[in-house]
Amino acid sequence: MQFQTIDDACRSACLVLGVEFKSVPADGRFHTANIADDPRGRNDGRIKLFPDRQGGIVWNHKTGERKAFFLNGSAAELKPEQRQRIEAEQRQRQADEAAQREWAVRRAQAIWQSAQPAAPDHPYLVRKQIEPHATRLCRWQRTVTLNNGKRKSVAIDNALLLPLYGADGRIRSLQAIFAENHPVLGRDRDFLPGGGLAGLFWWIGPRTDDVVVCEGFATAASVHQDTGWRVYMAFTANNLLAVGRIVRERLPNAGIVFCADNDTHTPGNPGLTKAKEAARAVGGGLAVPPIPGDFNDYSIFLRSAGNGE
């Protein structure tokens, strides 16, 4: 597909990956962007424009997905020297990413091992009416890029810590959940930079004949507490399919139910849409809360109704 401007090509790639488009300089460097329709996705997108303004790359940092885009719509129509430069850059990027992921693995394991077990009175657990379920506590530290391009170090005490495992059984990343929204991050949770997310998961409970796959920790905790089933967390809607396939491969005879987030206030209801796709792909069932939100919201709603509140 041909585009009239490089911004049009970039905008199309952003739409595919769910990244909020913005114009960036053609300096060959990644610039931060927000994740579209995700209030927690501030600065979790990346956009790069090649210096010749003939193409670039969009990166959804939360899902790990990347997409190259070109003014003429096709890498096959580029000049040989342009194609060689892009291929060389891709090889270098892949090597850099592999090194970064391995560094993130070592850091994730070190942070997890030094963290302390979470107590039931953590503000997030109290608010969500759930148990700790082997989560831990740490002081979360990271460097963020502000909207003005400046970098700032932040440290957040009393962060609830969750491990993200790969199919190889190793802890490969971490998620931190804070007591409240952090003013710099603009959200109440964060992932370990460089750790990736695609195909990573955690679970609650011993193995059961039927298992659940859902997005977040609060949903997983509520479903497990109400059913006793093992519950796998994919952490985002876009990761449900990858995690569902891993679960099906490891548990070929298990009944798998995808507990969707009912994102009625988000265009396209991505929580429900992605859960349906995953359920179809692995031969699983689907459960949807009858109210907007997730199954933790529904669990709290039922408790409140039962108490006459």
Side-chain angles (χ1 to χ4, degrees):
M1 179 179 179
Q2 297 280 338
F3 295 97
Q4 291 186 340
T5 69
I6 192 62
D7 278 354
D8 289 340
C10 180
R11 189 176 286 106
S12 177
C14 286
L15 184 63
V16 172
L17 294 192
V19 173
E20 194 173 282
F21 168 79
K22 73 175 187 181
S23 294
V24 300
D27 56 7
R29 301 175 59 185
F30 276 114
H31 297 268
T32 59
N34 295 333
I35 301 299
D37 300 321
D38 184 354
R40 297 192 298 268
R42 181 182 173 189
N43 290 335
D44 281 336
R46 302 287 189 275
I47 300 174
K48 176 194 290 189
L49 196 60
F50 300 143
D52 60 9
R53 296 188 61 83
Q54 295 302 301
I57 298 172
V58 175
W59 176 15
N60 186 321
H61 199 257
K62 291 186 72 173
T63 65
E65 296 174 289
R66 293 180 182 239
K67 182 175 179 59
F69 60 90
F70 304 95
L71 183 59
N72 61 17
S74 172
E77 299 176 32
L78 295 175
K79 296 178 181 179
E81 60 270 20
Q82 292 176 318
R83 190 158 52 249
Q84 290 172 4
R85 175 177 58 79
I86 292 172
E87 291 172 352
E89 180 180 301
Q90 289 175 335
R91 288 192 296 271
Q92 183 60 52
R93 172 172 55 79
Q94 290 169 354
D96 292 343
E97 287 178 352
Q100 186 179 45
R101 284 194 298 269
E102 190 57 35
W103 175 84
V105 167
R106 294 195 298 270
R107 187 179 178 209
Q109 293 174 349
I111 294 173
W112 179 253
Q113 290 169 3
S114 64
Q116 301 300 313
D121 62 352
H122 187 277
Y124 180 83
L125 301 177
V126 173
R127 186 167 70 252
K128 295 293 186 176
Q129 300 180 23
I130 55 177
E131 300 167 11
H133 295 293
T135 55
R136 299 184 182 184
L137 292 176
C138 76
R139 188 169 194 257
W140 189 251
Q141 301 182 71
R142 69 166 299 174
T143 301
V144 298
T145 302
L146 305 178
N147 289 333
N148 60 10
K150 294 184 178 179
R151 295 174 66 80
K152 178 181 178 64
S153 296
V154 297
I156 305 169
D157 291 319
N158 200 33
L160 202 63
L161 202 62
L162 285 68
L164 276 70
Y165 282 82
D168 60 0
R170 300 173 72 195
I171 293 177
R172 291 193 161 273
S173 189
L174 300 168
Q175 184 186 49
I177 301 177
F178 317 131
E180 57 188 13
N181 278 357
H182 190 270
V184 175
L185 297 178
R187 55 182 182 259
D188 68 348
R189 63 199 64 198
D190 194 26
F191 288 102
L192 186 69
L197 178 59
L200 303 186
F201 59 92
W202 192 36
W203 66 93
I204 294 175
R207 182 179 298 182
T208 51
D209 292 336
D210 296 310
V211 300
V212 170
V213 180
C214 68
E215 292 187 41
F217 170 64
T219 297
S222 292
V223 172
H224 174 71
Q225 289 168 197
D226 291 341
T227 66
W229 292 0
R230 172 178 282 190
V231 184
Y232 292 88
M233 286 155 271
F235 296 95
T236 68
N238 285 331
N239 200 34
L240 287 170
L241 176 56
V243 173
R245 283 174 170 161
I246 292 172
V247 174
R248 174 56 75 206
E249 181 181 351
R250 299 298 176 88
L251 304 174
N253 298 318
I256 303 176
V257 177
F258 289 83
C259 284
D261 285 10
N262 195 10
D263 299 327
T264 57
H265 301 306
T266 303
N269 199 333
L272 178 55
T273 300
K274 294 297 183 180
K276 282 182 178 179
E277 292 175 359
R280 284 195 298 266
V282 304
L286 179 71
V288 187
I291 63 172
D294 56 36
F295 274 99
N296 176 257
D297 298 318
Y298 186 48
S299 179
I300 293 174
F301 169 79
L302 291 177
R303 290 193 184 98
S304 298
N307 292 332
E309 297 179 8

